[in-house]
């Protein structure tokens, strides 16, 4: 019903709950606007609300809250200059949004050119419309890089040290792959692939094709690209052979989730904190079905957490050092087996 609920760390007000450092169980925020979409990082949150405008709370490093509100705010403040917004994405130091006509907006940290504005010195506050980026249909903000889908093609800007922009983005003066790009460059996907969605981790990239397959590249020390190898970096997009019929892709810092049309959940990558939800802490380099779940309708990733919505209920698992699995406690030990999230509404 659009009521905002938060749990976990709240050191900087990122849960929009005043006078609370952290909460180990689900707690309602006094924020009164109905929320449709949440994009959250470790210490700030973006809220796309019923008025199709964006509100932000938490820590304001690099002005990633989109305004000069100060160092932090517990009460979500309006991000100025954004109206009729259709999608939002929160990176570690920067943020992205799509207008309802497909215009890309970017703001916050820009040390690697991740805003795509042609400069590393410009901080996009208030949010800037990115030149030549219209008709955008999907976005993903990673750690100092951005992925965008436009016309079925994928474009990327920002950091390339882990080949997030791939090895084919070449510095004309050296002939070597660039360290970063402050403008969006096209990613060369395998022939005939039409991109419909993107997901970005700390340094790995996922693309969902219209063919129902997933393509990946970038940082891979824990197998988070799902290609069956432990090579540290995957330098160009590769097809993940299975599963097929995928309709959702999600990326945590170094782990990945895939949801299929049949409602099956596949997991791979880093599992140190139990974020794959298979009752182990063993990494997986290829997608493996998590048999705990069926009839999955949606899912999400925190940095080292995962969240799943299915007909059987809502579940969380992974890192719980600040109570972010919402089970009423916090612990240094991973929560590797999914626990139930009971979300009630004061409006019912």
């Amino acid at each position: 019903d659009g009521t905002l609920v938060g749990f976990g760390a709240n050191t900087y007000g990122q849960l929009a709950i005043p006078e609370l450092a952290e909460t180990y169980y689900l707690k309602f925020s006094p924020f009164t606007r109905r929320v449709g979409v949440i994009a959250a990082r470790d210490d700030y949150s973006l809220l796309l609300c019923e008025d199709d405008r964006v509100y932000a709370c938490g820590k304001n490093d690099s002005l990633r809250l989109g305004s000069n509100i100060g160092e932090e705010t517990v009460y979500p403040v309006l991000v100025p200059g954004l109206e009729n917004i259709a999608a939002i994405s929160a990176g570690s130091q920067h943020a992205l949004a799509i207008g309802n006509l497909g215009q890309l907006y970017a703001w916050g940290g820009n040390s690697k050119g991740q805003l795509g504005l042609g400069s590393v010195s410009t901080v996009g506050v208030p949010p800037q419309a990115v030149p030549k980026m219209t008709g955008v249909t999907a976005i993903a903000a990673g750690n100092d890089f951005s992925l965008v889908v436009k016309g079925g093609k994928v474009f990327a800007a920002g950091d390339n040290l882990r080949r997030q922009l791939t090895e084919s983005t070449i510095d004309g003066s050296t002939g070597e792959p660039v360290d970063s790009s402050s403008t969006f460059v096209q990613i060369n996907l395998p022939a005939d692939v039409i991109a419909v969605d993107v997901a970005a981790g700390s340094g790995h990239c996922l693309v969902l094709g219209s063919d129902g397959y997933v393509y990946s590249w970038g940082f891979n020390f824990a197998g988070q690209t799902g290609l069956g190898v432990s090579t540290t970096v995957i330098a160009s997009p590769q097809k993940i052979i299975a599963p097929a019929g995928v309709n959702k892709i999600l990326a945590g810092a170094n782990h990945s989730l895939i949801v299929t049309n049949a409602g099956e959940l596949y997991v791979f990558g880093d599992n140190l904190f139990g974020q794959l939800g298979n009752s182990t802490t063993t990494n997986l380099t290829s997608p493996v079905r998590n048999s705990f779940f069926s009839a999955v309708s949606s899912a999400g990733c925190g940095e080292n957490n995962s969240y799943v919505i299915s007909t059987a209920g809502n579940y969380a698992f992974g890192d719980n050092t600040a109570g972010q699995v919402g089970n009423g406690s916090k612990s240094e030990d991973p929560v590797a087996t999914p626990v139930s999230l009971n979300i009630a509404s004061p409006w019912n």
Side-chain angles (χ1 to χ4, degrees):
D1 64 358
T3 307
L4 182 61
V5 176
F7 50 102
N10 192 43
T11 310
Y12 303 99
Q14 59 264 48
L15 301 184
I17 303 172
E19 301 178 359
L20 184 73
E22 59 187 5
T23 177
Y24 313 146
Y25 57 91
L26 281 62
K27 188 175 179 64
F28 294 104
S29 164
F31 183 59
T32 56
R33 292 191 180 276
R34 300 299 177 96
V35 179
V37 178
I38 298 170
R41 293 294 291 224
D42 55 352
D43 52 15
Y44 82 106
S45 303
L46 303 177
L47 312 172
L48 180 54
C49 293
E50 58 190 342
D51 56 359
D52 295 330
R53 303 183 82 175
V54 181
Y55 297 77
C57 59
K59 195 173 184 180
N60 199 26
D61 277 12
S62 304
L63 301 180
R64 57 196 165 167
L65 301 188
S67 67
N68 293 298
I69 186 64
E71 294 183 359
E72 60 192 60
T73 177
V74 68
Y75 191 82
V77 294
L78 180 68
V79 179
L82 296 181
E83 296 182 355
N84 300 315
I85 297 302
I88 52 176
S89 184
S92 61
Q93 295 292 326
H94 74 294
L96 306 173
I98 306 175
N100 65 346
L101 298 179
Q103 176 64 57
L104 177 66
Y105 297 91
W107 65 95
N110 195 32
S111 61
K112 299 292 185 178
Q114 59 263 42
L115 302 186
L117 296 170
S119 168
V120 296
S121 59
T122 302
V123 176
V125 172
Q128 304 292 302
V130 180
K132 300 181 180 179
M133 277 294 147
T134 57
V136 172
T137 54
I139 50 176
N143 284 19
D144 301 330
F145 72 100
S146 302
L147 300 177
V148 166
V149 177
K150 173 184 174 181
K153 304 180 186 304
V154 175
F155 297 84
D159 185 29
N160 194 37
L161 292 180
R162 292 166 177 168
R163 297 300 176 257
Q164 302 96 309
L165 313 188
T166 77
E167 64 181 356
S168 62
T169 304
I170 301 298
D171 185 324
S173 61
T174 66
E176 298 294 325
V178 299
D179 290 337
S180 62
S181 174
S182 62
T183 57
F184 279 95
V185 295
Q186 185 176 337
I187 301 300
N188 294 322
L189 297 174
D192 302 324
V193 173
I194 299 173
V196 296
D197 200 8
V198 283
S202 67
H204 72 291
C205 308
L206 305 176
V207 172
L208 175 59
S210 61
D211 57 1
Y213 284 96
V214 180
Y215 301 81
S216 64
W217 69 96
F219 203 25
N220 189 51
F221 78 94
Q224 57 264 50
T225 64
L227 296 169
V229 296
S230 55
T231 307
T232 303
V233 171
I234 304 298
S236 60
Q238 308 291 324
K239 182 179 182 179
I240 298 177
I241 301 303
V246 175
N247 63 28
K248 289 182 178 66
I249 53 175
L250 307 116
N254 298 299
H255 74 288
S256 305
L257 305 182
I258 286 174
V259 180
T260 69
N261 292 326
E264 297 172 334
L265 178 73
Y266 287 79
V267 298
F268 50 99
D270 187 18
N271 198 28
L272 178 64
F273 296 92
Q275 59 264 54
L276 302 187
N278 57 6
S279 301
T280 78
T281 55
T282 303
N283 296 350
L284 296 174
T285 61
S286 297
V288 174
R289 185 185 173 191
N290 186 320
S291 59
F292 184 92
F293 297 102
S294 61
V296 173
S297 58
S298 189
C301 290
E303 182 173 356
N304 295 306
N305 296 86
S306 301
Y307 304 89
V308 175
I309 298 174
S310 70
T311 55
N314 312 301
Y315 295 89
F317 41 98
D319 183 18
N320 196 38
T321 53
Q324 59 265 57
V325 301
N327 66 350
S329 65
K330 72 173 184 177
S331 66
E332 296 298 324
D333 296 327
V335 177
T337 299
V339 296
S340 180
L341 285 174
N342 297 312
I343 302 176
S345 172
W347 305 109
N348 290 342

